[in-house]
Amino acid sequence: MAVERKKLGDLLVEQGFLTEEELTSVLVDKTREQKIGDLLLQRGIITEQQLIETLEVQLGIPHVTLYRYPFDPKLFHMVPKEVAKRKMLVPLKRENDKLYIAMTDPMDIITIDDLRLTTGFNIEPAIASKDDIMKTIAKYYDEESYDDLLDDMPEVTKEQQEELNDLDAPIVRLVNQILSNAVSQKASDVHFDPQENKVLVRYRIDGSLRTERTLPKTMQQMITARIKIMANLDITENRVPQDGRIKTNVDFRPIDLRVSSLPTVFGEKIVMRILDLSANLTDISKLGFNETNMQRFMKEIEKPNGIILISGPTGSGKSSTLYAALNKLNSEEVNIITVEDPVEYQLEGINQIQVNSNVGLTFAAGLRSILRQDPDIVMVGEIRDKETADISIRASLTGHLVLSTIHTNDSIASVTRLMDMGIEPFLVTASLNAVVAQRLIRKVCRDCRKLEPATIREQEIFGRRGLTIDSVARGKGCPQCNMTGYRGRMAIHEVLIVDEDIKNVINRNGTAAEIREIAVKNNTIFLIDDGLLKVKEGMTTTEEVLRVAIAE
């Protein structure tokens, strides 16, 4: 007698992974083609691990973890890379007439039948996570191709330059594989680090650099030349730094790459910043603002004039916050113009200017011209000098809303930095509306997070900020997060509203300590507080917060 099989949604509810209300809201939006599991994952209601556990129960098909799995490299010849990538599967092992395959969708009968016909084996499916399969494909299938390239490569000659544009050339495939691998692992940067006897390929994932693989020194020149050709740089010039840009598609996703080359003693170091154009950067509600900070920030960006500054070090997500704010303000009734260096993401309906100091188009020159273009909202990529600050202030005083970034450690330091640049205090108070300080911290991996009692040290840190903590979430480490315990990043914020009291302190050249006192009275949530509140919610760890924010 056939066993009655329950629906996946009901099983997830039974196991306590989601509520009836969440299931109902997803079922209302679901189309016939969409799978309930995929929809729940997209919305972040359940984790991939929870889905896999439930499928294991529902289908009776085993779940396999591919991290450090003892693969047989010969089996990878039986399933072409294109099929593995398209259908999200990898061969695991062979036993007599059975071929074991790890799949994200073990119910895909058509693919199982196709594999049975092409390989001649009976297929035994197992469930694996999408991330696990993508990492395995990138690692094992690409290693096969790397072996073809490890022969000695001569110096780049004129004839070889044509080969560097041939899409089937081994070096072209190698660079494409490194990029594809980086995108699938959600890396923000790819580093090609020349050493004395080798070249290291390193990825920055969630803010931390990790060596992905080591290539022989003989490949260095060809790789550098290929990347320079893609970025329209001068491949004959290797004595001075160069900057370029590549627009390409990686695994059918539009990707923008900012390329920088730097001469070092062992050759040119190349760094590629990956800007994933399909990533949703434009939704202000997904930036991680807590409720109070969100209300304050929204109130400020809706003002008709004044300056709003976003401060933080390089790579703290300032651009994402600026773009999200611009997207929120973008409508047919307003004229928004930006001057940036470089233009990272192109936003529809917004006029964006690229700084080019070689022809005299600096932030200040671009900003001067913008003011003759009848703008309502102006975004300046960065206030670096007195001239740019002066024109930004003039723009805000003549009825424009100006958004910009400044490199300081916190919101109060941004106010004093403007005065250090030589801006008169009365101009600062007349124009500055608010300063948002921001940092990025890693999130605890949802698949391996466990609650632990808070340590005495943690309770002390929380106690000093007027908070209490009983338990904290920590990741044990799993294949999903590369055994780090962290997966993905989020922002912590500090929104300083420049009110009348703060303006009075600035006008009489008061100290940063006086401004801080008023900010505390106004219930400003400082970076450390926002971080600790996120620890309380189980989203990150105290160590992560203290890495980027100072506990006073």
Side-chain angles (χ1 to χ4, degrees), residues 192 194 228 238-243 260-271:
F192 293 87
K228 282 181 159 186
N238 54 17
R239 296 160 302 170
V240 294
Q242 295 185 67
D243 291 310
S260 168
S261 77
L262 183 74
T264 70
V265 287
F266 296 128
E268 284 182 280
K269 173 180 166 66
I270 303 269
V271 176

Side-chain angles (χ1 to χ4, degrees), residues 167 281 341:
L167 295 180
L281 278 168
D341 182 22

Side-chain angles (χ1 to χ4, degrees), residues 164 175 179 192 222-233 235 246 259-260 270-272:
L164 293 171
V175 172
L179 282 180
F192 293 87
M222 290 289 269
I223 287 174
T224 303
R226 170 60 190 157
I227 294 168
K228 282 181 159 186
I229 283 172
M230 289 170 78
N232 287 323
L233 301 179
I235 72 164
I246 302 169
V259 180
S260 168
I270 303 269
V271 176
M272 304 169 88

Side-chain angles (χ1 to χ4, degrees), residues 46 59 89 113 209 253 259 283 309-310 314 359 366 389 402 408 444:
I46 59 168
L59 305 174
L89 53 88
D113 280 348
L209 267 177
R253 284 157 69 186
V259 180
D283 189 346
L309 291 178
I310 298 179
T314 307
V359 294
V402 179
T408 55
V444 171

Side-chain angles (χ1 to χ4, degrees), residues 34-60:
Q34 287 174 311
K35 292 177 181 169
I36 184 80
D38 290 347
L39 263 178
L40 290 165
L41 282 176
Q42 278 167 22
R43 295 193 182 185
I45 296 171
I46 59 168
T47 68
E48 203 158 14
Q49 204 60 34
Q50 290 169 340
L51 179 63
I52 286 169
E53 282 172 27
T54 311
L55 282 172
E56 201 173 1
V57 171
Q58 187 196 30
L59 305 174

Side-chain angles (χ1 to χ4, degrees), residues 286-481:
K286 292 183 179 164
L287 293 177
F289 276 103
N290 74 32
E291 212 173 308
T292 309
N293 281 344
M294 183 68 158
Q295 285 170 358
R296 289 176 179 175
F297 184 60
M298 293 302 291
K299 189 178 170 187
E300 292 306 315
I301 65 170
E302 281 161 8
K303 286 185 177 174
N305 55 20
I307 296 180
I308 297 165
L309 291 178
I310 298 179
S311 80
T314 307
S316 59
K318 300 188 297 294
S319 298
S320 300
T321 305
L322 275 181
Y323 282 126
L326 287 180
N327 201 56
K328 180 78 178 167
L329 298 167
N330 191 10
S331 70
E332 208 178 309
E333 294 81 45
V334 292
N335 177 20
I336 301 177
I337 308 181
T338 75
V339 54
E340 304 167 62
D341 182 22
V343 173
E344 289 190 18
Y345 294 94
Q346 284 152 16
L347 300 176
E348 203 175 323
I350 291 176
N351 309 288
Q352 293 169 280
I353 300 169
Q354 167 82 52
V355 165
N356 185 351
S357 45
N358 295 335
V359 294
L361 179 53
T362 59
F363 276 120
L367 194 44
R368 257 193 220 98
S369 305
I370 284 176
L371 297 179
R372 295 194 282 273
Q373 289 279 322
D374 181 33
D376 297 292
I377 298 163
V378 176
M379 191 267 264
V380 185
E382 188 187 335
I383 291 180
R384 294 178 183 171
D385 51 45
K386 183 177 187 294
E387 192 182 7
T388 310
D390 271 334
I391 304 164
S392 301
I393 286 168
R394 205 177 315 144
S396 73
L397 293 175
T398 51
H400 304 95
L401 180 67
V402 179
L403 303 175
S404 188
T405 68
I406 191 164
H407 283 273
T408 55
N409 288 331
D410 60 24
S411 55
I412 294 165
S414 303
V415 178
T416 52
R417 170 65 59 84
L418 287 173
M419 292 190 282
D420 290 344
M421 282 180 183
I423 307 295
E424 293 292 343
F426 72 89
L427 286 174
V428 174
T429 55
S431 56
L432 191 61
N433 289 353
V435 185
V436 180
Q438 178 171 326
R439 295 289 186 284
L440 288 180
I441 53 173
R442 292 182 294 172
K443 292 195 283 190
V444 171
C445 173
R446 284 178 66 187
D447 287 327
C448 61
R449 75 190 281 274
K450 290 276 182 288
L451 284 176
E452 294 176 5
T455 62
I456 294 165
R457 170 93 178 108
E458 281 176 321
Q459 287 173 347
E460 283 173 9
I461 291 164
F462 275 77
R464 268 191 241 129
R465 307 300 300 177
L467 299 165
T468 56
I469 184 87
D470 299 318
S471 59
V472 291
R474 281 197 175 81
K476 291 188 308 179
C478 67
Q480 254 49 25
C481 60

